[in-house]
Amino acid sequence: MFCISKGKITRNATIRKIVVIFAVENMRNYLINRPAKDILAAIVFCVVVCVLVLSAIWAYRQFISTPPYVDPEKYPIKGIDISRHNGKIDFEKVKDDGIEFVFIKASEGETHIDSLFNHNFENARLAGLKVGAYHFFRFDKDGVQQAVNFLSMVGSRRTDLGLVVDVEKTGNPTDISAEEVRKNLSAMVDYMNLLGHRVMIYTNYEGYYEYISEILPGYPLWICRFRENPINAEWTFWQFDHHGKVNGIKGDVDLNVFCGKKEEWERFLNGDIWPYTGN
């Protein structure tokens, strides 16, 4: 244990205070004693730097993070995924805006549930949308207990798109080994399979190769990537934009497409080609 005495803390704080006062005084004297043109030049320089920084941020958002082009003829079946963070949604307007399916967050970890899941599920169904449910997988929690939490929240509801396990580093602790993550994930998926549930995996490009490809080959993949070719593997759904705009939803929403046309979509919903993967 590293310990510092109270007296030493006080002396250090006093020293820091003296240093700050000294620096501020020197800066003030420097500015007072400089010609006006030098002060103006310094101000102009600061303004230019700020403009450049803001321009770089704008350019990144506008071009580097711009979603890829998604061919509407190749991928005509459009959908969204939502959670309580999207607020109250008018699903009738969503449906009228050309959206055909929605994945709804149900749970997270061993105990957390999404407070709007029931509301979102029932109203999406009433609007005529095809519905799936997803669980945010916690790297540091027991896989079986996470499955129990997920299935408890879904209950006896029938989902058109099956049940999804969302596997991603964002929002998870960084000190869990990949081996531990794969062990907990396998336990969760195996438990759900034993109970007869259709399981799909959501992840991004890095997550697929680190956690999914070796232990869950052949499982339907819902891939998140912002490139025109999302992954060199078979996938079922593609999340291509985190900043989509859809009528009936305030703010941004994730946009997705199904990997197939109307005929494949109908067969997928009927379970004739489950798991369905295409490219």
Side-chain angles (χ1 to χ4, degrees), residues 18-136:
I18 293 172
V19 170
V20 170
I21 293 173
F22 179 78
V24 170
E25 283 297 315
N26 273 283
M27 180 62 71
R28 186 173 66 86
N29 292 334
Y30 174 81
L31 292 174
I32 289 174
N33 294 325
R34 300 299 297 177
K37 64 178 183 179
D38 288 356
I39 296 175
L40 179 60
I43 294 173
V44 171
F45 175 78
C46 291
V47 170
V48 170
V49 170
C50 289
V51 170
L52 289 174
V53 170
L54 292 173
S55 297
I57 293 173
W58 177 85
Y60 174 81
R61 291 179 175 175
Q62 189 70 21
F63 300 108
I64 298 179
S65 62
T66 297
Y69 171 72
V70 178
D71 188 343
E73 292 188 4
K74 190 175 182 180
Y75 306 120
I77 311 300
K78 299 185 295 183
I80 58 175
D81 58 275
I82 60 170
S83 71
R84 66 180 180 84
H85 298 294
N86 295 101
K88 294 295 180 68
I89 295 172
D90 187 331
F91 288 99
E92 295 288 347
K93 290 183 178 179
V94 170
K95 174 71 173 177
D96 291 341
D97 202 19
I99 299 300
E100 297 195 40
F101 66 87
V102 54
F103 287 103
I104 303 172
K105 183 175 182 180
S107 54
E108 177 177 336
E110 295 179 348
T111 58
H112 178 78
I113 60 174
D114 190 292
S115 59
L116 286 181
F117 174 71
N118 293 334
H119 173 87
N120 285 334
F121 193 98
E122 301 307 325
N123 284 278
R125 267 285 172 75
L126 288 173
L129 294 166
K130 301 304 180 183
V131 180
Y134 76 91
H135 170 94
F136 186 85

Side-chain angles (χ1 to χ4, degrees), residues 177-216:
S177 69
E179 181 181 1
E180 182 70 12
V181 174
R182 289 192 290 263
K183 183 187 76 172
N184 285 330
L185 178 59
S186 292
M188 179 175 186
V189 173
D190 287 347
Y191 184 88
M192 295 171 67
N193 282 334
L194 286 172
L195 296 179
H197 295 284
R198 307 194 307 180
V199 181
M200 184 184 304
I201 303 297
Y202 167 95
T203 192
N204 54 29
Y205 182 86
E206 293 77 13
Y208 175 76
Y209 289 106
E210 187 167 0
Y211 305 121
I212 310 302
S213 60
E214 293 184 7
I215 64 168
L216 298 171

